[in-house]
Amino acid sequence: MDASTEELRHAHDVLSEWYAKNLDGLLESMPVERAMLDLFAEMTLAVGVEVADVGCGTGRLLPYLAGRGLSPRGVDLSPGMVEVAERDNPGFAYEVADLRELPFEDASLAGVVCWFSLIYLAPDARVTAFAELARVVKPGGYLVTAFKHGDGNVHRNLPGGRVESFGIDFDRYWLSAREMEDRFAAAGFELIFQGSTPPEGSEPSYGYMLVRKGV
């Protein structure tokens, strides 16, 4: 494991309990995010029920996905996050894994959720990561992602942020919708729907994208 990936894993181990406390129930107050997940679920059900939340964190989305008729499992780089997920959102299968090397067979999933989990990909990791996501999705299957709009440059040491208060840091990359769409297209996905929300305070605009793997 390279140093950047190790740093990211350690940081999210440290942050796991913070996420458990502060993100619990957050989806209930975010109608745009629920709408995107609902759209994903409805379209994915025509392909199958087996889906994965890649970068699942505390597993908070899995009960919601299950409530829409899907059979979700979770994958996260951080063992600490997986431990919290198994405790707080039991009844689902979780694994520790890197999204560049997923523990799934080729074309085994009807869909994949990447909820703010692609924002950690360094430029030299993106081709591999998007190709790996395409590998595990069935032809005609779907992927939904949420991300932060930006210029693709690395962000670190955000003053006054929660990361700084924990004495940790890690690379984040906020990508443009154009780059996201282009990378999905290069991996064999076609755009079905995209949207965004406006910036709020120090937070950039959030982007949402639903894509379908070519048949």
Side-chain angles (χ1 to χ4, degrees), residues 151-173:
D151 56 11
N153 292 324
V154 65
H155 293 260
R156 289 183 68 91
N157 299 318
L158 302 181
R162 67 173 179 272
V163 169
E164 184 181 58
S165 69
F166 279 93
I168 55 176
D169 203 4
F170 49 90
D171 295 343
R172 317 105 160 128
Y173 299 87

mmCIF file with all atom_site columns, all heavy atoms in Angstrom, residues 151-173:
data_model
loop_
_atom_site.group_PDB
_atom_site.id
_atom_site.type_symbol
_atom_site.label_atom_id
_atom_site.label_alt_id
_atom_site.label_comp_id
_atom_site.label_asym_id
_atom_site.label_entity_id
_atom_site.label_seq_id
_atom_site.pdbx_PDB_ins_code
_atom_site.Cartn_x
_atom_site.Cartn_y
_atom_site.Cartn_z
_atom_site.occupancy
_atom_site.B_iso_or_equiv
_atom_site.pdbx_formal_charge
_atom_site.auth_seq_id
_atom_site.auth_comp_id
_atom_site.auth_asym_id
_atom_site.auth_atom_id
_atom_site.pdbx_PDB_model_num
ATOM 1   N N   . ASP A 1 151 ? -11.615 21.874 -9.458  1.00 0.00 ? 151 ASP A N   1
ATOM 2   C CA  . ASP A 1 151 ? -10.695 21.949 -10.591 1.00 0.00 ? 151 ASP A CA  1
ATOM 3   C C   . ASP A 1 151 ? -9.776  20.742 -10.705 1.00 0.00 ? 151 ASP A C   1
ATOM 4   O O   . ASP A 1 151 ? -8.900  20.691 -11.564 1.00 0.00 ? 151 ASP A O   1
ATOM 5   C CB  . ASP A 1 151 ? -9.846  23.217 -10.504 1.00 0.00 ? 151 ASP A CB  1
ATOM 6   C CG  . ASP A 1 151 ? -9.077  23.321 -9.187  1.00 0.00 ? 151 ASP A CG  1
ATOM 7   O OD1 . ASP A 1 151 ? -9.023  22.330 -8.429  1.00 0.00 ? 151 ASP A OD1 1
ATOM 8   O OD2 . ASP A 1 151 ? -8.531  24.408 -8.920  1.00 0.00 ? 151 ASP A OD2 1
ATOM 9   N N   . GLY A 1 152 ? -9.957  19.759 -9.834  1.00 0.00 ? 152 GLY A N   1
ATOM 10  C CA  . GLY A 1 152 ? -9.148  18.551 -9.904  1.00 0.00 ? 152 GLY A CA  1
ATOM 11  C C   . GLY A 1 152 ? -7.845  18.620 -9.142  1.00 0.00 ? 152 GLY A C   1
ATOM 12  O O   . GLY A 1 152 ? -7.123  17.622 -9.056  1.00 0.00 ? 152 GLY A O   1
ATOM 13  N N   . ASN A 1 153 ? -7.528  19.789 -8.580  1.00 0.00 ? 153 ASN A N   1
ATOM 14  C CA  . ASN A 1 153 ? -6.283  19.928 -7.823  1.00 0.00 ? 153 ASN A CA  1
ATOM 15  C C   . ASN A 1 153 ? -6.431  19.360 -6.419  1.00 0.00 ? 153 ASN A C   1
ATOM 16  O O   . ASN A 1 153 ? -7.530  19.295 -5.870  1.00 0.00 ? 153 ASN A O   1
ATOM 17  C CB  . ASN A 1 153 ? -5.860  21.394 -7.748  1.00 0.00 ? 153 ASN A CB  1
ATOM 18  C CG  . ASN A 1 153 ? -5.445  21.941 -9.099  1.00 0.00 ? 153 ASN A CG  1
ATOM 19  O OD1 . ASN A 1 153 ? -4.852  21.239 -9.906  1.00 0.00 ? 153 ASN A OD1 1
ATOM 20  N ND2 . ASN A 1 153 ? -5.775  23.205 -9.355  1.00 0.00 ? 153 ASN A ND2 1
ATOM 21  N N   . VAL A 1 154 ? -5.324  18.994 -5.817  1.00 0.00 ? 154 VAL A N   1
ATOM 22  C CA  . VAL A 1 154 ? -5.358  18.398 -4.488  1.00 0.00 ? 154 VAL A CA  1
ATOM 23  C C   . VAL A 1 154 ? -5.690  19.452 -3.436  1.00 0.00 ? 154 VAL A C   1
ATOM 24  O O   . VAL A 1 154 ? -5.269  20.609 -3.532  1.00 0.00 ? 154 VAL A O   1
ATOM 25  C CB  . VAL A 1 154 ? -4.008  17.713 -4.164  1.00 0.00 ? 154 VAL A CB  1
ATOM 26  C CG1 . VAL A 1 154 ? -2.879  18.728 -4.076  1.00 0.00 ? 154 VAL A CG1 1
ATOM 27  C CG2 . VAL A 1 154 ? -4.109  16.889 -2.887  1.00 0.00 ? 154 VAL A CG2 1
ATOM 28  N N   . HIS A 1 155 ? -6.475  19.039 -2.444  1.00 0.00 ? 155 HIS A N   1
ATOM 29  C CA  . HIS A 1 155 ? -6.818  19.890 -1.300  1.00 0.00 ? 155 HIS A CA  1
ATOM 30  C C   . HIS A 1 155 ? -6.291  19.219 -0.039  1.00 0.00 ? 155 HIS A C   1
ATOM 31  O O   . HIS A 1 155 ? -6.539  18.042 0.206   1.00 0.00 ? 155 HIS A O   1
ATOM 32  C CB  . HIS A 1 155 ? -8.331  20.068 -1.189  1.00 0.00 ? 155 HIS A CB  1
ATOM 33  C CG  . HIS A 1 155 ? -8.930  20.853 -2.301  1.00 0.00 ? 155 HIS A CG  1
ATOM 34  N ND1 . HIS A 1 155 ? -9.248  22.186 -2.188  1.00 0.00 ? 155 HIS A ND1 1
ATOM 35  C CD2 . HIS A 1 155 ? -9.271  20.495 -3.574  1.00 0.00 ? 155 HIS A CD2 1
ATOM 36  C CE1 . HIS A 1 155 ? -9.760  22.616 -3.330  1.00 0.00 ? 155 HIS A CE1 1
ATOM 37  N NE2 . HIS A 1 155 ? -9.789  21.610 -4.182  1.00 0.00 ? 155 HIS A NE2 1
ATOM 38  N N   . ARG A 1 156 ? -5.588  20.003 0.766   1.00 0.00 ? 156 ARG A N   1
ATOM 39  C CA  . ARG A 1 156 ? -5.088  19.528 2.052   1.00 0.00 ? 156 ARG A CA  1
ATOM 40  C C   . ARG A 1 156 ? -5.112  20.680 3.048   1.00 0.00 ? 156 ARG A C   1
ATOM 41  O O   . ARG A 1 156 ? -5.212  21.846 2.672   1.00 0.00 ? 156 ARG A O   1
ATOM 42  C CB  . ARG A 1 156 ? -3.645  19.013 1.937   1.00 0.00 ? 156 ARG A CB  1
ATOM 43  C CG  . ARG A 1 156 ? -3.493  17.699 1.190   1.00 0.00 ? 156 ARG A CG  1
ATOM 44  C CD  . ARG A 1 156 ? -2.052  17.225 1.191   1.00 0.00 ? 156 ARG A CD  1
ATOM 45  N NE  . ARG A 1 156 ? -1.601  16.836 2.522   1.00 0.00 ? 156 ARG A NE  1
ATOM 46  C CZ  . ARG A 1 156 ? -1.688  15.600 3.016   1.00 0.00 ? 156 ARG A CZ  1
ATOM 47  N NH1 . ARG A 1 156 ? -2.191  14.631 2.285   1.00 0.00 ? 156 ARG A NH1 1
ATOM 48  N NH2 . ARG A 1 156 ? -1.255  15.325 4.224   1.00 0.00 ? 156 ARG A NH2 1
ATOM 49  N N   . ASN A 1 157 ? -5.012  20.311 4.338   1.00 0.00 ? 157 ASN A N   1
ATOM 50  C CA  . ASN A 1 157 ? -4.856  21.318 5.391   1.00 0.00 ? 157 ASN A CA  1
ATOM 51  C C   . ASN A 1 157 ? -5.900  22.419 5.305   1.00 0.00 ? 157 ASN A C   1
ATOM 52  O O   . ASN A 1 157 ? -5.579  23.606 5.243   1.00 0.00 ? 157 ASN A O   1
ATOM 53  C CB  . ASN A 1 157 ? -3.452  21.936 5.344   1.00 0.00 ? 157 ASN A CB  1
ATOM 54  C CG  . ASN A 1 157 ? -2.371  20.912 5.558   1.00 0.00 ? 157 ASN A CG  1
ATOM 55  O OD1 . ASN A 1 157 ? -2.488  20.048 6.418   1.00 0.00 ? 157 ASN A OD1 1
ATOM 56  N ND2 . ASN A 1 157 ? -1.309  20.987 4.770   1.00 0.00 ? 157 ASN A ND2 1
ATOM 57  N N   . LEU A 1 158 ? -7.170  22.026 5.295   1.00 0.00 ? 158 LEU A N   1
ATOM 58  C CA  . LEU A 1 158 ? -8.226  23.019 5.259   1.00 0.00 ? 158 LEU A CA  1
ATOM 59  C C   . LEU A 1 158 ? -8.341  23.674 6.639   1.00 0.00 ? 158 LEU A C   1
ATOM 60  O O   . LEU A 1 158 ? -8.663  23.002 7.622   1.00 0.00 ? 158 LEU A O   1
ATOM 61  C CB  . LEU A 1 158 ? -9.557  22.363 4.878   1.00 0.00 ? 158 LEU A CB  1
ATOM 62  C CG  . LEU A 1 158 ? -9.562  21.624 3.541   1.00 0.00 ? 158 LEU A CG  1
ATOM 63  C CD1 . LEU A 1 158 ? -10.933 21.040 3.259   1.00 0.00 ? 158 LEU A CD1 1
ATOM 64  C CD2 . LEU A 1 158 ? -9.142  22.551 2.411   1.00 0.00 ? 158 LEU A CD2 1
ATOM 65  N N   . PRO A 1 159 ? -8.051  24.973 6.760   1.00 0.00 ? 159 PRO A N   1
ATOM 66  C CA  . PRO A 1 159 ? -8.009  25.623 8.076   1.00 0.00 ? 159 PRO A CA  1
ATOM 67  C C   . PRO A 1 159 ? -9.333  25.525 8.805   1.00 0.00 ? 159 PRO A C   1
ATOM 68  O O   . PRO A 1 159 ? -10.396 25.788 8.240   1.00 0.00 ? 159 PRO A O   1
ATOM 69  C CB  . PRO A 1 159 ? -7.674  27.087 7.723   1.00 0.00 ? 159 PRO A CB  1
ATOM 70  C CG  . PRO A 1 159 ? -7.051  27.024 6.370   1.00 0.00 ? 159 PRO A CG  1
ATOM 71  C CD  . PRO A 1 159 ? -7.724  25.889 5.666   1.00 0.00 ? 159 PRO A CD  1
ATOM 72  N N   . GLY A 1 160 ? -9.265  25.153 10.060  1.00 0.00 ? 160 GLY A N   1
ATOM 73  C CA  . GLY A 1 160 ? -10.443 25.107 10.901  1.00 0.00 ? 160 GLY A CA  1
ATOM 74  C C   . GLY A 1 160 ? -11.364 23.941 10.660  1.00 0.00 ? 160 GLY A C   1
ATOM 75  O O   . GLY A 1 160 ? -12.417 23.826 11.285  1.00 0.00 ? 160 GLY A O   1
ATOM 76  N N   . GLY A 1 161 ? -11.014 23.049 9.745   1.00 0.00 ? 161 GLY A N   1
ATOM 77  C CA  . GLY A 1 161 ? -11.870 21.909 9.444   1.00 0.00 ? 161 GLY A CA  1
ATOM 78  C C   . GLY A 1 161 ? -11.737 20.818 10.493  1.00 0.00 ? 161 GLY A C   1
ATOM 79  O O   . GLY A 1 161 ? -10.846 20.832 11.329  1.00 0.00 ? 161 GLY A O   1
ATOM 80  N N   . ARG A 1 162 ? -12.659 19.853 10.423  1.00 0.00 ? 162 ARG A N   1
ATOM 81  C CA  . ARG A 1 162 ? -12.634 18.788 11.426  1.00 0.00 ? 162 ARG A CA  1
ATOM 82  C C   . ARG A 1 162 ? -11.378 17.935 11.309  1.00 0.00 ? 162 ARG A C   1
ATOM 83  O O   . ARG A 1 162 ? -10.882 17.410 12.303  1.00 0.00 ? 162 ARG A O   1
ATOM 84  C CB  . ARG A 1 162 ? -13.879 17.917 11.311  1.00 0.00 ? 162 ARG A CB  1
ATOM 85  C CG  . ARG A 1 162 ? -13.981 17.098 10.040  1.00 0.00 ? 162 ARG A CG  1
ATOM 86  C CD  . ARG A 1 162 ? -15.152 16.151 10.084  1.00 0.00 ? 162 ARG A CD  1
ATOM 87  N NE  . ARG A 1 162 ? -15.268 15.379 8.866   1.00 0.00 ? 162 ARG A NE  1
ATOM 88  C CZ  . ARG A 1 162 ? -15.943 15.766 7.800   1.00 0.00 ? 162 ARG A CZ  1
ATOM 89  N NH1 . ARG A 1 162 ? -16.553 16.923 7.808   1.00 0.00 ? 162 ARG A NH1 1
ATOM 90  N NH2 . ARG A 1 162 ? -16.010 15.008 6.721   1.00 0.00 ? 162 ARG A NH2 1
ATOM 91  N N   . VAL A 1 163 ? -10.843 17.800 10.073  1.00 0.00 ? 163 VAL A N   1
ATOM 92  C CA  . VAL A 1 163 ? -9.634  17.002 9.889   1.00 0.00 ? 163 VAL A CA  1
ATOM 93  C C   . VAL A 1 163 ? -8.491  17.599 10.683  1.00 0.00 ? 163 VAL A C   1
ATOM 94  O O   . VAL A 1 163 ? -7.746  16.899 11.373  1.00 0.00 ? 163 VAL A O   1
ATOM 95  C CB  . VAL A 1 163 ? -9.285  16.901 8.394   1.00 0.00 ? 163 VAL A CB  1
ATOM 96  C CG1 . VAL A 1 163 ? -7.906  16.301 8.208   1.00 0.00 ? 163 VAL A CG1 1
ATOM 97  C CG2 . VAL A 1 163 ? -10.323 16.054 7.657   1.00 0.00 ? 163 VAL A CG2 1
ATOM 98  N N   . GLU A 1 164 ? -8.329  18.920 10.595  1.00 0.00 ? 164 GLU A N   1
ATOM 99  C CA  . GLU A 1 164 ? -7.266  19.600 11.328  1.00 0.00 ? 164 GLU A CA  1
ATOM 100 C C   . GLU A 1 164 ? -7.427  19.393 12.823  1.00 0.00 ? 164 GLU A C   1
ATOM 101 O O   . GLU A 1 164 ? -6.450  19.177 13.547  1.00 0.00 ? 164 GLU A O   1
ATOM 102 C CB  . GLU A 1 164 ? -7.273  21.086 10.994  1.00 0.00 ? 164 GLU A CB  1
ATOM 103 C CG  . GLU A 1 164 ? -6.147  21.869 11.642  1.00 0.00 ? 164 GLU A CG  1
ATOM 104 C CD  . GLU A 1 164 ? -6.194  23.348 11.297  1.00 0.00 ? 164 GLU A CD  1
ATOM 105 O OE1 . GLU A 1 164 ? -7.229  23.990 11.576  1.00 0.00 ? 164 GLU A OE1 1
ATOM 106 O OE2 . GLU A 1 164 ? -5.204  23.851 10.761  1.00 0.00 ? 164 GLU A OE2 1
ATOM 107 N N   . SER A 1 165 ? -8.663  19.432 13.309  1.00 0.00 ? 165 SER A N   1
ATOM 108 C CA  . SER A 1 165 ? -8.897  19.290 14.748  1.00 0.00 ? 165 SER A CA  1
ATOM 109 C C   . SER A 1 165 ? -8.541  17.895 15.254  1.00 0.00 ? 165 SER A C   1
ATOM 110 O O   . SER A 1 165 ? -8.259  17.717 16.436  1.00 0.00 ? 165 SER A O   1
ATOM 111 C CB  . SER A 1 165 ? -10.363 19.601 15.073  1.00 0.00 ? 165 SER A CB  1
ATOM 112 O OG  . SER A 1 165 ? -11.232 18.608 14.561  1.00 0.00 ? 165 SER A OG  1
ATOM 113 N N   . PHE A 1 166 ? -8.532  16.904 14.363  1.00 0.00 ? 166 PHE A N   1
ATOM 114 C CA  . PHE A 1 166 ? -8.146  15.548 14.744  1.00 0.00 ? 166 PHE A CA  1
ATOM 115 C C   . PHE A 1 166 ? -6.654  15.302 14.581  1.00 0.00 ? 166 PHE A C   1
ATOM 116 O O   . PHE A 1 166 ? -6.166  14.206 14.874  1.00 0.00 ? 166 PHE A O   1
ATOM 117 C CB  . PHE A 1 166 ? -8.919  14.520 13.915  1.00 0.00 ? 166 PHE A CB  1
ATOM 118 C CG  . PHE A 1 166 ? -10.319 14.252 14.405  1.00 0.00 ? 166 PHE A CG  1
ATOM 119 C CD1 . PHE A 1 166 ? -11.396 14.963 13.887  1.00 0.00 ? 166 PHE A CD1 1
ATOM 120 C CD2 . PHE A 1 166 ? -10.565 13.304 15.379  1.00 0.00 ? 166 PHE A CD2 1
ATOM 121 C CE1 . PHE A 1 166 ? -12.692 14.728 14.332  1.00 0.00 ? 166 PHE A CE1 1
ATOM 122 C CE2 . PHE A 1 166 ? -11.846 13.054 15.830  1.00 0.00 ? 166 PHE A CE2 1
ATOM 123 C CZ  . PHE A 1 166 ? -12.919 13.769 15.304  1.00 0.00 ? 166 PHE A CZ  1
ATOM 124 N N   . GLY A 1 167 ? -5.937  16.285 14.071  1.00 0.00 ? 167 GLY A N   1
ATOM 125 C CA  . GLY A 1 167 ? -4.497  16.126 13.883  1.00 0.00 ? 167 GLY A CA  1
ATOM 126 C C   . GLY A 1 167 ? -4.129  15.199 12.737  1.00 0.00 ? 167 GLY A C   1
ATOM 127 O O   . GLY A 1 167 ? -3.070  14.572 12.764  1.00 0.00 ? 167 GLY A O   1
ATOM 128 N N   . ILE A 1 168 ? -5.003  15.103 11.740  1.00 0.00 ? 168 ILE A N   1
ATOM 129 C CA  . ILE A 1 168 ? -4.759  14.238 10.591  1.00 0.00 ? 168 ILE A CA  1
ATOM 130 C C   . ILE A 1 168 ? -4.982  15.041 9.316   1.00 0.00 ? 168 ILE A C   1
ATOM 131 O O   . ILE A 1 168 ? -5.506  16.154 9.348   1.00 0.00 ? 168 ILE A O   1
ATOM 132 C CB  . ILE A 1 168 ? -5.701  13.013 10.589  1.00 0.00 ? 168 ILE A CB  1
ATOM 133 C CG1 . ILE A 1 168 ? -7.164  13.475 10.663  1.00 0.00 ? 168 ILE A CG1 1
ATOM 134 C CG2 . ILE A 1 168 ? -5.372  12.066 11.733  1.00 0.00 ? 168 ILE A CG2 1
ATOM 135 C CD1 . ILE A 1 168 ? -8.166  12.352 10.561  1.00 0.00 ? 168 ILE A CD1 1
ATOM 136 N N   . ASP A 1 169 ? -4.598  14.472 8.208   1.00 0.00 ? 169 ASP A N   1
ATOM 137 C CA  . ASP A 1 169 ? -4.874  15.083 6.915   1.00 0.00 ? 169 ASP A CA  1
ATOM 138 C C   . ASP A 1 169 ? -4.771  14.011 5.841   1.00 0.00 ? 169 ASP A C   1
ATOM 139 O O   . ASP A 1 169 ? -4.215  12.934 6.076   1.00 0.00 ? 169 ASP A O   1
ATOM 140 C CB  . ASP A 1 169 ? -3.905  16.231 6.628   1.00 0.00 ? 169 ASP A CB  1
ATOM 141 C CG  . ASP A 1 169 ? -4.470  17.234 5.620   1.00 0.00 ? 169 ASP A CG  1
ATOM 142 O OD1 . ASP A 1 169 ? -5.634  17.070 5.214   1.00 0.00 ? 169 ASP A OD1 1
ATOM 143 O OD2 . ASP A 1 169 ? -3.738  18.167 5.237   1.00 0.00 ? 169 ASP A OD2 1
ATOM 144 N N   . PHE A 1 170 ? -5.315  14.307 4.677   1.00 0.00 ? 170 PHE A N   1
ATOM 145 C CA  . PHE A 1 170 ? -5.262  13.382 3.556   1.00 0.00 ? 170 PHE A CA  1
ATOM 146 C C   . PHE A 1 170 ? -5.657  14.148 2.303   1.00 0.00 ? 170 PHE A C   1
ATOM 147 O O   . PHE A 1 170 ? -6.246  15.223 2.370   1.00 0.00 ? 170 PHE A O   1
ATOM 148 C CB  . PHE A 1 170 ? -6.188  12.175 3.764   1.00 0.00 ? 170 PHE A CB  1
ATOM 149 C CG  . PHE A 1 170 ? -7.591  12.538 4.192   1.00 0.00 ? 170 PHE A CG  1
ATOM 150 C CD1 . PHE A 1 170 ? -8.589  12.762 3.249   1.00 0.00 ? 170 PHE A CD1 1
ATOM 151 C CD2 . PHE A 1 170 ? -7.910  12.645 5.544   1.00 0.00 ? 170 PHE A CD2 1
ATOM 152 C CE1 . PHE A 1 170 ? -9.872  13.105 3.641   1.00 0.00 ? 170 PHE A CE1 1
ATOM 153 C CE2 . PHE A 1 170 ? -9.196  12.980 5.940   1.00 0.00 ? 170 PHE A CE2 1
ATOM 154 C CZ  . PHE A 1 170 ? -10.184 13.216 4.994   1.00 0.00 ? 170 PHE A CZ  1
ATOM 155 N N   . ASP A 1 171 ? -5.312  13.594 1.154   1.00 0.00 ? 171 ASP A N   1
ATOM 156 C CA  . ASP A 1 171 ? -5.575  14.250 -0.129  1.00 0.00 ? 171 ASP A CA  1
ATOM 157 C C   . ASP A 1 171 ? -7.043  14.118 -0.515  1.00 0.00 ? 171 ASP A C   1
ATOM 158 O O   . ASP A 1 171 ? -7.644  13.050 -0.381  1.00 0.00 ? 171 ASP A O   1
ATOM 159 C CB  . ASP A 1 171 ? -4.730  13.611 -1.232  1.00 0.00 ? 171 ASP A CB  1
ATOM 160 C CG  . ASP A 1 171 ? -3.237  13.820 -1.026  1.00 0.00 ? 171 ASP A CG  1
ATOM 161 O OD1 . ASP A 1 171 ? -2.860  14.709 -0.231  1.00 0.00 ? 171 ASP A OD1 1
ATOM 162 O OD2 . ASP A 1 171 ? -2.445  13.097 -1.672  1.00 0.00 ? 171 ASP A OD2 1
ATOM 163 N N   . ARG A 1 172 ? -7.609  15.240 -1.023  1.00 0.00 ? 172 ARG A N   1
ATOM 164 C CA  . ARG A 1 172 ? -8.934  15.192 -1.633  1.00 0.00 ? 172 ARG A CA  1
ATOM 165 C C   . ARG A 1 172 ? -8.843  15.904 -2.971  1.00 0.00 ? 172 ARG A C   1
ATOM 166 O O   . ARG A 1 172 ? -8.113  16.890 -3.119  1.00 0.00 ? 172 ARG A O   1
ATOM 167 C CB  . ARG A 1 172 ? -10.007 15.898 -0.811  1.00 0.00 ? 172 ARG A CB  1
ATOM 168 C CG  . ARG A 1 172 ? -9.976  15.654 0.685   1.00 0.00 ? 172 ARG A CG  1
ATOM 169 C CD  . ARG A 1 172 ? -9.428  16.898 1.296   1.00 0.00 ? 172 ARG A CD  1
ATOM 170 N NE  . ARG A 1 172 ? -9.743  17.043 2.699   1.00 0.00 ? 172 ARG A NE  1
ATOM 171 C CZ  . ARG A 1 172 ? -8.799  17.285 3.591   1.00 0.00 ? 172 ARG A CZ  1
ATOM 172 N NH1 . ARG A 1 172 ? -7.535  17.336 3.250   1.00 0.00 ? 172 ARG A NH1 1
ATOM 173 N NH2 . ARG A 1 172 ? -9.132  17.477 4.844   1.00 0.00 ? 172 ARG A NH2 1
ATOM 174 N N   . TYR A 1 173 ? -9.621  15.425 -3.921  1.00 0.00 ? 173 TYR A N   1
ATOM 175 C CA  . TYR A 1 173 ? -9.629  16.004 -5.263  1.00 0.00 ? 173 TYR A CA  1
ATOM 176 C C   . TYR A 1 173 ? -11.071 16.274 -5.664  1.00 0.00 ? 173 TYR A C   1
ATOM 177 O O   . TYR A 1 173 ? -11.866 15.339 -5.790  1.00 0.00 ? 173 TYR A O   1
ATOM 178 C CB  . TYR A 1 173 ? -8.988  15.050 -6.267  1.00 0.00 ? 173 TYR A CB  1
ATOM 179 C CG  . TYR A 1 173 ? -7.544  14.725 -5.969  1.00 0.00 ? 173 TYR A CG  1
ATOM 180 C CD1 . TYR A 1 173 ? -7.221  13.670 -5.114  1.00 0.00 ? 173 TYR A CD1 1
ATOM 181 C CD2 . TYR A 1 173 ? -6.506  15.460 -6.533  1.00 0.00 ? 173 TYR A CD2 1
ATOM 182 C CE1 . TYR A 1 173 ? -5.897  13.361 -4.836  1.00 0.00 ? 173 TYR A CE1 1
ATOM 183 C CE2 . TYR A 1 173 ? -5.183  15.159 -6.261  1.00 0.00 ? 173 TYR A CE2 1
ATOM 184 C CZ  . TYR A 1 173 ? -4.895  14.105 -5.415  1.00 0.00 ? 173 TYR A CZ  1
ATOM 185 O OH  . TYR A 1 173 ? -3.580  13.801 -5.136  1.00 0.00 ? 173 TYR A OH  1
#
